[in-house]
Amino acid sequence: MAKSIQTQVYEELRRNILSLHLKPGQTMSTQEIATKLNVSRTPVREAFLKLQEQGLVEMIPQKETTVSKINLKRANQEKFLRESLELGIVRKFMEHGTSEIKEQTIFNMMANITKQRNCVKDRDFVSFLNADDTFHSLLFAAVEETMSWDIIKQQCGHYDRMRILFVQDEAAAKSSIEQHENIVRLLEKNDQKNAIDAMLHHIRRPEFDDSRITNEYPEYFQQDNSDKNEFRLGTL
């Protein structure tokens, strides 16, 4: 089924926000975006409303719409959400996945790691992060928990923007790949405890560099620590 115009506009704007092509704090004009995408203003306004529900834009009626700056408090809540679901999926994969499903998933994860290496080699960090997400989504798909993965992707926009800032350091991206390789090795060995520990360390790792990221990109972060980007209607 073809996607509606509103869905296409929403997905395009969200992709540009998460890739930082639309930068935190940047003002967006309904008319300019409508003209650029060759659509009417209505689907753009509807997309803005949906993005506002996810805390990715701020709308001031009759004035302006801006890309939300990254809220560290919200990013940490999003990280907790992702951590909880990712650790649960490792357990389910190891306890309930069939041998055939496990073998195929591990094969796909290793192929994905090769793609990650190529992205880093090309310094294409947006594509690297997309490949990274695909790596994680394979575990959810393997045990038919795609709803949980959809929740992660819909609700973690502040954390995801921190991730892309984090991996733009090539050493950080390469370290992430090494962690992925370690996770796959532990899954192959059916070492559930250490696989869960490795996944936990991998997800939490960006917090070790919060100060580096906020110092390098201070203009991208909300400085007053207010709750204006906290969860809104329609989010978890």
Side-chain angles (χ1 to χ4, degrees):
M1 180 181 296
K3 294 179 181 178
S4 68
I5 293 175
Q6 191 273 333
T7 297
Q8 293 177 54
V9 172
Y10 159 74
E11 291 180 349
E12 178 70 12
L13 289 174
R14 192 173 195 276
R15 183 164 48 249
N16 278 280
I17 289 171
L18 296 184
S19 67
L20 302 179
H21 288 132
L22 288 171
K23 302 184 185 306
Q26 182 174 335
T27 299
M28 297 184 292
S29 162
T30 304
Q31 186 58 60
E32 287 180 5
I33 290 175
T35 300
K36 183 177 180 179
L37 298 180
N38 195 29
V39 298
S40 71
R41 294 163 56 114
T42 299
V44 177
R45 286 194 294 265
E46 291 172 347
F48 280 170
L49 288 170
K50 189 170 183 178
L51 291 165
Q52 181 177 240
E53 290 175 358
Q54 298 172 0
L56 291 176
V57 305
E58 295 174 18
M59 298 177 68
I60 302 176
Q62 309 304 319
K63 188 176 179 183
E64 65 182 11
T65 298
T66 60
V67 179
S68 298
K69 291 195 173 185
I70 300 170
N71 183 313
L72 285 173
K73 184 176 180 181
R74 169 152 181 163
N76 284 326
Q77 292 185 60
E78 292 173 351
K79 187 190 301 181
F80 177 77
L81 169 66
R82 179 160 188 167
E83 174 185 310
S84 301
L85 292 173
E86 292 259 18
L87 301 189
I89 215 65
V90 172
R91 292 189 185 94
K92 186 167 184 178
F93 177 79
M94 301 194 78
E95 292 174 0
H96 301 291
T98 66
S99 58
E100 292 81 10
I101 287 174
K102 288 179 180 178
E103 182 178 346
Q104 184 61 53
T105 302
I106 287 169
F107 175 84
N108 292 339
M109 293 172 88
M110 290 303 300
N112 177 273
I113 288 173
T114 298
K115 183 175 182 179
Q116 292 175 41
R117 289 199 192 94
N118 291 334
C119 290
V120 173
K121 182 180 179 181
D122 294 337
R123 297 191 61 80
D124 183 351
F125 296 113
V126 172
S127 294
F128 168 78
L129 204 61
N130 289 334
D132 183 313
D133 281 341
T134 299
F135 175 88
H136 288 267
S137 73
L138 289 168
L139 288 175
F140 289 82
V143 291
E144 299 183 343
E145 291 292 352
T146 54
M147 181 186 294
S148 294
W149 180 252
D150 289 342
I151 290 171
I152 287 174
K153 295 317 299 171
Q154 290 299 315
Q155 304 302 334
C156 293
H158 288 254
Y159 175 58
D160 279 348
R161 287 186 292 172
M162 288 194 69
R163 288 170 63 217
I164 198 163
L165 291 172
F166 179 69
V167 300
Q168 286 185 40
D169 179 285
E170 187 170 338
K174 289 180 177 178
S175 177
S176 182
I177 292 173
E178 291 173 359
Q179 291 173 17
H180 286 159
E181 290 174 325
N182 185 44
I183 290 167
V184 171
R185 281 193 295 269
L186 294 168
L187 293 175
E188 279 189 299
K189 292 166 62 177
N190 288 313
D191 188 342
Q192 179 172 315
K193 179 183 182 304
N194 285 320
I196 289 172
D197 288 346
M199 184 67 81
L200 179 62
H201 173 73
H202 176 62
I203 296 168
R204 287 184 174 178
R205 186 166 177 259
E207 74 186 9
F208 302 152
D209 281 59
D210 278 1
S211 60
R212 173 180 70 80
I213 297 171
T214 53
N215 287 336
E216 286 185 17
Y217 306 94
E219 71 278 12
Y220 288 176
F221 289 84
Q222 188 175 309
Q223 299 298 321
D224 61 5
N225 226 12
S226 75
D227 291 338
K228 64 182 178 180
N229 280 336
E230 284 304 289
F231 291 169
R232 302 170 186 263
L233 179 65
T235 65
L236 291 183

